Amino acid sequence: MPTLVAGPRFRIRPIAIHDVVKDYDAVRGSLEQLEGRFGPEWGWPDGRFTFEQALIDVAWLQKEGQLRRSFSYAVMTPDEERQLGRIHVAPSDSPSADAVVVFWVRADEEDPSIEKELEEFVREWVTTAWPFETVRFPGRDLMS
């Protein structure tokens, strides 16, 4: 599975426990947006999202990647000073797709073009660098 993708506006790499401070900041700053997109289906995150919960979540995501069950990536600025969002790649529970991919960009990102650029990149990336034929994008595609 891909381990680093670097471009002029962001770096994508597997999330790791040492990302927890930046990840927590990105999630807390985007709670309303993330609850609206993921809360109804997955119950994540909720307003009580604590640093301890973030630590557990990030450790779990890292372990899932080590076990090769699902893959989560931190989307960072090129200098890695700020986390812009996340990407999650997981097996699909539907026979109509090989994988499910969800991603988000932090709500307080000043440059709105980052979201569109990341979406274009992710849609191409998961079909060219991964062994998938059909990918679902819950929360982004009408049929998802």
Side-chain angles (χ1 to χ4, degrees):
M1 300 301 112
T3 57
L4 174 66
V5 179
R9 303 214 325 145
F10 47 77
R11 291 171 56 93
I12 298 169
R13 58 166 175 70
I15 199 162
I17 197 70
H18 68 267
D19 294 316
V20 70
V21 171
K22 292 174 185 169
D23 187 74
Y24 180 69
D25 180 60
V27 172
R28 287 297 302 176
S30 305
L31 271 179
E32 189 174 310
Q33 169 193 340
L34 296 172
E35 283 179 315
R37 183 176 288 171
F38 303 117
E41 187 171 347
W42 295 307
W44 179 90
D46 67 25
R48 299 167 297 178
F49 191 72
T50 64
F51 186 79
E52 181 179 68
Q53 187 60 52
L55 185 61
I56 293 165
D57 283 357
V58 172
W60 179 260
L61 296 173
Q62 182 177 351
K63 189 62 175 177
E64 283 284 296
Q66 289 172 346
L67 296 172
R68 301 180 64 79
R69 293 195 292 221
S70 66
F71 302 89
S72 297
Y73 294 84
V75 180
M76 308 296 291
T77 55
D79 62 6
E80 297 233 1
E81 288 298 313
R82 186 168 187 249
Q83 184 171 326
L84 297 171
R86 275 200 224 152
I87 302 167
H88 301 281
V89 180
S92 176
D93 56 359
S94 166
S96 64
D98 302 318
V100 172
V101 176
V102 295
F103 59 93
W104 53 271
V105 171
R106 60 188 304 145
D108 60 355
E109 173 52 41
E110 294 176 6
D111 184 348
S113 68
I114 289 281
E115 176 104 18
K116 184 176 187 308
E117 186 176 328
L118 183 64
E119 180 164 3
E120 289 171 0
F121 171 81
V122 168
R123 286 180 181 273
E124 182 175 334
W125 184 54
V126 297
T127 58
T128 59
W130 292 77
F132 306 134
E133 290 185 30
T134 307
V135 178
R136 288 187 328 112
F137 294 90
R140 295 195 179 259
D141 291 342
L142 295 175
M143 302 296 285
S144 296

